[in-house]
Each structure stands twice: as C-alpha cells, then as structure tokens.
Amino acid sequence: QVQLVESGGGLVQAGGSLRLSCVASGRTFSTYAMGWFRQAPGKEREFVAAFSRSGDSSCADSVKGRFTISRDNAKNSVYLQMNSLKPEDTAVYYCASKSGGTRYSVPNSYPYWGQGTQVTVSS
C-alpha cells in the first residue's frame, strides 16, 4: 500500500509560478512510476506529467515548456514546478503512483492516488 500526500497548491495570478510536492510512503519509492494529473470542474481527469519506472519523464503538450516534473528518491518525493501559469491551468492536481505497466498518461492505470491540491490561476 502506498500513501501519497500533495501540497503546494494555492491562488496565483496569471503568469505566476507554483511548486507542487508529493510525498509517498513506502520503502520502494524509487521503483514506482509517478504521475501528476489534474481535474477541472466538469472535466475529466487529464495527464500533466510523469516519470516512468526507468526514470524517463514526459509531459502533456499543453504544459510543455512551462511545467517541469522532478523527483528526489531520497525524500520519497516528486515535484511539479509550474511556471507561466494560465487561468486554464486551474484545477485540482493529483499525484499518482504505480509499480508496474506502462501507459503513464492514463489515469486509470494508476492504483494509488493522493487527495489532491487546488490550484487556482486568476486572470
């Protein structure tokens, strides 16, 4: 069982930055794929960025060049640095993890989820 706890959300003006953090329980964090997803009101949960089990990173086209995913295995943590934020980035952001498989951009391939952290970008 893996428990995930996100933090770092908040209210920011367009063009601003936020850094989200996700801390995971467990001693095998380094072997898990980690992903960030978001869900805006009335919309489906969508992929933002992820680290594969081998350490390769990927991100959605909508955030490429603005968001950066990173991880610190010594701290059992994964981060999402969000720059040049836009009002359309407003959503609840979730951290997710899984121990096997690929399909890193598919939400329902992840069995473990955090509670989410709200990000609101004002225009």
Side-chain angles (χ1 to χ4, degrees):
Q1 187 74 11
V2 175
Q3 292 184 326
L4 304 171
V5 179
E6 303 101 332
S7 62
L11 173 64
V12 64
Q13 288 187 332
S17 299
L18 284 173
R19 187 189 192 216
L20 305 184
S21 300
C22 173
V23 180
S25 64
R27 292 175 288 181
T28 57
F29 174 79
S30 63
T31 66
Y32 277 63
M34 300 297 299
W36 285 101
F37 294 81
R38 66 187 182 185
Q39 189 166 17
K43 295 188 177 181
E44 294 186 351
R45 194 166 296 189
E46 65 174 4
F47 169 71
V48 177
F51 265 112
S52 71
R53 295 175 68 226
S54 61
D56 297 323
S57 64
S58 61
C59 65
D61 288 343
S62 60
V63 305
K64 199 165 289 184
R66 300 188 298 122
F67 291 10
T68 303
I69 188 172
S70 61
R71 68 189 295 170
D72 185 339
N73 290 336
K75 296 183 178 180
N76 277 17
S77 295
V78 63
Y79 308 98
L80 186 69
Q81 178 65 45
M82 305 185 295
N83 298 328
S84 302
L85 283 160
K86 304 175 181 179
E88 52 263 43
D89 295 318
T90 294
V92 177
Y93 283 70
Y94 296 91
C95 175
S97 70
K98 61 180 179 178
S99 61
T102 54
R103 302 192 305 159
Y104 300 108
S105 64
V106 178
N108 62 16
S109 72
Y110 289 79
Y112 305 112
W113 290 85
Q115 82 287 351
T117 186
Q118 177 70 47
V119 171
T120 303
V121 185
S122 63
S123 57

